[in-house]
Amino acid sequence: MKSMTVEEVQSRAKSAPMMLLIRRFATALIGLASTILVARFLSPRDFGLAAMSMAVVSLGDALRNFGLTNAILRKGEINEDEVTFCFWFNVVSTLLMSAIFVAGAPLIAAYFNEPEVRVIMYGSVIGFAIGGFAMQHNAIMKRNLEFRQVAFCDTAAVAVGFIVTLALAIIRRDYWAIVIGLVAQSIARAAINIYLTRWMPGRPRRIEGIRELLYFGFNTSLYATLNQASRQSTTLIIGYFFNSALLGYFNRSYALFKLPLSNLLEPIGQANMPILARLRLYPDHYRTTYLSLVKMLSVLLIPASAFIVFAGPSLALTLLGPQWEQSGEALSYLAPALAVYGGIYPISNLLITQNRAGELRLIALLDVVFRAGGALIGAQFGFLAAIAGFSIGSVLTLPARFLIAGRVGTITAGDQLRAILPSLPLGIGALVGGAAGQYAADYAGLVPILELISVSLASALGTLVALGLSRDARRVAVNLIDVGRGRYHVGVPAQDAERGVGLAERGPVTGG
C-alpha cells in the first residue's frame, strides 16, 4: 500500500466529496424511486416483517470484522500481509456470524411474536454472508482514495437491488421482494468490488502488532455495534411492544428520514475518514478539515430537520400514498434527531483517527442509554411517543459527544459547538417559514401535494432570508458551493499556509 504526502492527499481529496455526492445523488434517486414505487405494491406489514430481520442482521454487519478493517485503515502505512490477514479474518467472522443467525432465527421470531420472521432470517443471511468476501476490497479502494470506483460500485449495486425488488413486488406482492432484492444487491456489490480492485488475497499469515490491532478493533467494533443498536432500538422496541404493521409505518418513515443521512453524511464521512487519517501528522490541517466538515453538514441538516417537522405528513402522503398517513406523523417526530447529526456523525472519524478507541466505546454506551432508553420510555405511552423518545435521546447525545471528543487534542468541545452555530439561524428561518406554509395550507384546505409545495416554498424562503442575514452562514454556504464544483479544500487555506498562518510543526494530532 503506497504512502502519500499531504499534497497528494489534498489533490485526491478535492474530488472526493464531489464523486461520492454524485454517487449518492444517483443512489438517492434510486432509493427515492424504490421508496415510492415499492410502497405502492406492498403492505405496511410486509415492510414490518422484513424490518424485523434486517434490524438483527444489521447488528451483525457492524460486529463481524471486529473493527479490524478500521484499525488497519487508520495507520499511516500498511503492508500486503496486513491486508490479507484482514480479508481472511472478515471471511471467517462473517461465516461464523451467519451460522449464529441461522441457529438463532427461531428465537428472533419468538421475540417479535412473528413466526414468519424465522424464514425471512434464513434468506437475509445469504446476502450477509456473501458481503463478507468483498469487505476488504472495498476498504482497499477507500484507503487509496479511489472514490470514483467506490461511487460506481455502490450505485450499480443499489440499482440492481432496486430492479429486483420492484420486479418481485409487482409479481409477488409480499415481503420476499424486499429480502431477495437485498440479497441481489449484496451479490452485485461484492462482484463489482472484487472486479474493480483486481486484488487477490494470499495465504493467511500472522502479522506483527496483532494484539494492539485487535484491541483497537474490538473497541471500534463495539462502538459500531452499540451505535447500530441505538439506531435500531426503535425498530426492536416497536416490533416487540406493538405489531409488524406499525413497525412497517415506522420503517417507511425512517427510510425517508435516512435519505439525507445515507446520501449526504455517509459519502462525505467515507471520504473524510481516510483523509483525516492521512493528515494526522499535520495538526492544523487536521483541525481545519474536521471543523469545516461539521459546519457544512450542520448547515444542510438543521434547516432540513426544521422543514421535516411540518412537511412530514404531506411528504409521506404524496410520495407513498394514502395508506401511509401514520408514516408521515412518525417522520415529523423523527425530525429533531436529524438536526444533530451534523455534529454527531463526524466524531467517530475523529476518535478513530486519533486512536481513542476507549472513548468510542464510551459514546456508544451513552448512545444506547439515551436513544434506546428514550424509545423504551416513550413506548409506554404509545407508538409515536416511542419515536419521540428516540429523537429526544439523539439530541441529548450531542453535548456528551462534544465533551468526550474535546477532552484531548486540538479540537475542543467549544470548537465543535461554534462549528454548528452558523446553521442555527438557517434552522430558525426554515422553522418559521415551514410553520407559515403549514398554516396557509390548512387555512386553504389544500390537498397533500399542494400542502407540501406550500410548506417547501415557505421553508426555503425563510432559510434564504436567514442566510442573507447571517455572514457566517454565507461563508459556509460558499464552501458548500465549492464542494459542489469539485473544489473541496483540505486543511489550512493555501493563502494562509503561504503566510505561515495556523501552521504547526509536523507531529501527531493525538494518540499513538
Side-chain angles (χ1 to χ4, degrees), residues 69 73 134-144 193:
T69 297
L73 185 65
M135 289 176 61
Q136 196 56 39
H137 296 78
N138 186 264
I140 289 171
M141 289 193 290
K142 292 176 182 176
R143 167 76 187 182
N144 294 332
N193 270 315

Side-chain angles (χ1 to χ4, degrees), residues 181-246:
L182 290 173
V183 172
Q185 182 173 319
S186 295
I187 294 172
R189 177 176 284 110
I192 297 170
N193 270 315
I194 293 171
Y195 174 78
L196 289 178
T197 56
R198 305 294 177 92
W199 176 80
M200 294 295 293
R203 296 178 61 183
R205 299 177 181 176
R206 183 178 176 85
I207 60 176
E208 294 182 4
I210 184 62
R211 181 176 297 180
E212 187 271 337
L213 288 173
L214 287 175
Y215 173 77
F216 183 89
F218 171 76
N219 281 288
T220 56
S221 179
L222 181 60
Y223 162 77
T225 304
L226 289 174
N227 189 44
Q228 188 66 22
S230 71
R231 292 183 182 182
Q232 296 295 339
S233 60
T234 311
T235 294
L236 297 172
I237 290 169
I238 290 175
Y240 179 79
F241 281 97
F242 303 103
N243 55 57
S244 56
L246 283 177

Side-chain angles (χ1 to χ4, degrees), residues 282-285 491-494 496-506:
Y282 306 91
D284 292 297
H285 287 290
V492 178
D496 288 346
E498 292 174 0
R499 297 197 306 266
V501 176
L503 291 178
E505 300 255 344
R506 177 186 169 111

Side-chain angles (χ1 to χ4, degrees), residues 184-471:
Q185 182 173 319
S186 295
I187 294 172
R189 177 176 284 110
I192 297 170
N193 270 315
I194 293 171
Y195 174 78
L196 289 178
T197 56
R198 305 294 177 92
W199 176 80
M200 294 295 293
R203 296 178 61 183
R205 299 177 181 176
R206 183 178 176 85
I207 60 176
E208 294 182 4
I210 184 62
R211 181 176 297 180
E212 187 271 337
L213 288 173
L214 287 175
Y215 173 77
F216 183 89
F218 171 76
N219 281 288
T220 56
S221 179
L222 181 60
Y223 162 77
T225 304
L226 289 174
N227 189 44
Q228 188 66 22
S230 71
R231 292 183 182 182
Q232 296 295 339
S233 60
T234 311
T235 294
L236 297 172
I237 290 169
I238 290 175
Y240 179 79
F241 281 97
F242 303 103
N243 55 57
S244 56
L246 283 177
L247 181 55
Y249 288 122
F250 172 73
N251 177 262
R252 290 301 83 194
S253 68
Y254 199 71
L256 293 174
F257 170 81
K258 285 200 308 181
L259 282 175
L261 299 182
S262 59
N263 297 295
L264 177 67
L265 264 70
E266 289 181 14
I268 294 178
Q270 287 174 3
N272 193 258
M273 210 277 268
I275 291 169
L276 289 176
R278 300 279 188 174
L279 294 177
R280 284 184 62 205
L281 298 179
Y282 306 91
D284 292 297
H285 287 290
Y286 183 98
R287 181 178 183 275
T288 303
T289 300
Y290 179 83
L291 293 177
S292 176
L293 174 65
V294 175
K295 290 178 182 178
M296 289 189 289
L297 292 179
S298 297
V299 157
L300 288 172
L301 294 178
I302 288 180
S305 69
F307 163 72
I308 290 174
V309 168
F310 295 101
S314 58
L315 183 65
L317 287 171
T318 300
L319 296 180
L320 306 179
Q323 68 168 325
W324 297 96
E325 183 175 0
Q326 287 183 270
S327 291
E329 296 174 347
L331 182 59
S332 292
Y333 279 84
L334 282 170
L338 180 64
V340 297
Y341 265 90
I344 285 176
Y345 190 84
I347 289 176
S348 61
N349 285 353
L350 181 147
L351 296 178
I352 289 171
T353 55
Q354 293 183 8
N355 294 344
R356 296 163 64 184
E359 287 156 300
L360 271 176
R361 183 175 62 241
L362 176 59
I363 64 173
L365 288 171
L366 289 174
D367 281 355
V368 171
V369 170
F370 284 118
R371 290 175 172 174
L376 186 60
I377 293 171
Q380 313 308 312
F381 302 95
F383 169 61
L384 293 177
I387 301 171
F390 170 82
S391 290
I392 293 170
S394 297
V395 173
L396 292 177
T397 63
L398 183 65
R401 280 177 173 250
F402 279 0
L403 289 172
I404 292 170
R407 288 195 298 185
V408 297
T410 60
I411 301 172
T412 67
D415 291 333
Q416 297 169 81
L417 178 61
R418 284 188 290 271
I420 66 172
L421 290 180
S423 60
L424 296 183
L426 305 189
I428 295 171
L431 194 66
V432 172
Q438 183 65 61
Y439 177 81
D442 290 342
Y443 183 81
L446 300 179
V447 297
I449 188 170
L450 295 180
E451 178 182 333
L452 178 61
I453 293 172
S454 173
V455 174
S456 300
L457 292 176
S459 186
L461 179 61
T463 303
L464 289 174
V465 170
L467 184 65
L469 297 175
S470 174
R471 180 182 300 177

